[in-house]
Structures are given as structure tokens and as C-alpha cells.
Amino acid sequence: MKHLKNNLELIVGSVCCGKSEELLRRITRYEIAGLNILLVKPQIDTRSSTVKSRNGSERSCIEIANPEDIYEEINNYVNKNSRSIDIIAFDEGQFYKDLYRVVKDLLLKKYKVIVSALDSDFNGEPFGDITKLVTLSDSVDKLTAACMSCKSDNAIFSQKLKKGGNQIEVGDLE
């Protein structure tokens, strides 16, 4: 593994604020620097088999059901490519149960970790382990969106347009 600052970078914000776009931008920069990255997203996100941003950026990824599955994917990558992983990048981190525990372990194992996620749900309540991850992070970038109703460019909350439902419902602008 290359010499890296062992840290966690969090990219958080509301729906449509550019979290995935920022994650993909950082991955590209790290690859230019010669680092090996494993990009993962949760299997529950069935919108696409890639990590995609609204601006058209897209990248293939590994889909995992649980954060613990990352260990098997690291081993598969190393065996297939005969090189180590430097960075683990999680998109849609709010969907993973026990992400905190796994990220903490990855940091102890000297991986750099990047997580992009919603930090709160449509009720403004903390979503998943994301607020706990702040305690492990060296950097937290909170992005804002443009509100489609009031046209503010500083929207920090996600709005659910459909009435009722559960906290976790895979969707997008609908």
C-alpha cells in the first residue's frame, strides 16, 4: 500500500446536491495520482448498476448488500489484479447498517475511506450511521442543493414528494 494519510473523507448533503459527482471527481484525482480505488454502492440502490451523477459522470462499481462484504471484495480485487487497494469509496452510505463499525476497522487497517451519503432523511432526522462517522472523519464536506420550489441555492434538507412511506425508499426526483 502506498503511503497515504489514513483518514475518512465524508461528503454529505441533501438529495440533488452533487454528492456522487464529488465522489467521482475525487476518485478520478486519486487515480491520476496512481492510487487503487475500490468503489462500492449498496445493492438496495437498484436505479443503476453504476455510480452515476446528474451531470452525466458515471463509473462502474461493486454492489454489496452489507458493509462487511467489503472485505471479500478487497480480497477479490487483490487476487484478480495482483495489487493492493489504497482507497475504499462508498456511495449512498446512508443505506448501510453498521457502516460505522466497518469504516472504523478499515481505518485501523490503514485504508483511506471516502463516504458520500445523505446526512438526514426527509424528516430532517439523522440517516443511518452517517452522523456517527463524523466522529472518525478528518474532513466533512456538506454540500447544498438548489430548491426546486423556492429556488434557493442553499437547500440543506431532502424533500419527499410522495406522501407517507418509509425512511428508505429508493428513488430520485420522483
Side-chain angles (χ1 to χ4, degrees), residues 148-168:
M148 294 177 194
S149 294
C150 72
K151 309 303 181 207
S152 166
D153 67 345
N154 199 28
I156 61 170
F157 297 110
S158 297
Q159 180 182 15
K160 190 174 202 177
L161 301 176
K162 179 176 122 181
K163 300 283 186 225
N166 299 317
Q167 182 186 46
I168 296 178

Side-chain angles (χ1 to χ4, degrees), residues 11-31:
I11 306 163
V12 299
S14 62
V15 172
C16 299
C17 71
K19 297 176 303 296
S20 295
E21 180 180 339
E22 177 61 17
L23 177 66
L24 295 174
R25 186 192 72 79
R26 290 182 191 192
I27 287 170
T28 299
R29 288 177 51 93
Y30 286 127
E31 285 180 336

Side-chain angles (χ1 to χ4, degrees), residues 5-143:
K5 180 179 175 191
N6 177 28
N7 69 349
L8 168 61
E9 296 178 16
L10 278 179
I11 306 163
V12 299
S14 62
V15 172
C16 299
C17 71
K19 297 176 303 296
S20 295
E21 180 180 339
E22 177 61 17
L23 177 66
L24 295 174
R25 186 192 72 79
R26 290 182 191 192
I27 287 170
T28 299
R29 288 177 51 93
Y30 286 127
E31 285 180 336
I32 290 168
L35 299 173
N36 300 317
I37 298 143
L38 187 59
L39 174 60
V40 297
K41 72 173 218 158
Q43 282 180 345
I44 192 173
D45 182 1
T46 57
R47 294 173 294 173
S48 169
S49 60
T50 61
V51 171
K52 222 186 224 186
S53 74
R54 287 184 177 75
N55 76 352
S57 299
E58 187 173 5
R59 186 177 283 260
S60 61
C61 65
I62 305 291
E63 296 180 67
I64 59 175
N66 302 298
E68 305 83 35
D69 298 342
I70 196 66
Y71 300 109
E72 182 179 342
E73 295 302 334
I74 291 169
N75 287 333
N76 291 342
Y77 180 94
V78 170
N79 291 334
K80 181 180 178 184
N81 298 295
S82 299
R83 54 188 175 150
S84 64
I85 292 286
D86 300 302
I87 301 172
I88 314 286
F90 292 91
D91 192 37
E92 301 290 357
Q94 73 276 359
F95 290 139
Y96 290 115
K97 292 188 188 309
D98 291 329
L99 185 60
Y100 175 85
R101 182 181 51 76
V102 171
V103 167
K104 186 174 183 179
D105 184 59
L106 290 169
L107 294 170
L108 290 171
K109 290 181 167 141
K110 305 297 183 199
Y111 290 101
K112 180 180 191 71
V113 179
I114 308 170
V115 176
S116 86
L118 295 171
D119 54 345
S120 62
D121 65 13
F122 66 97
N123 289 314
E125 297 295 325
F127 206 157
D129 280 355
I130 305 310
T131 54
K132 285 173 61 177
L133 288 175
V134 171
T135 65
L136 300 175
S137 181
D138 313 58
S139 72
V140 179
D141 291 308
K142 173 121 176 160
L143 306 180

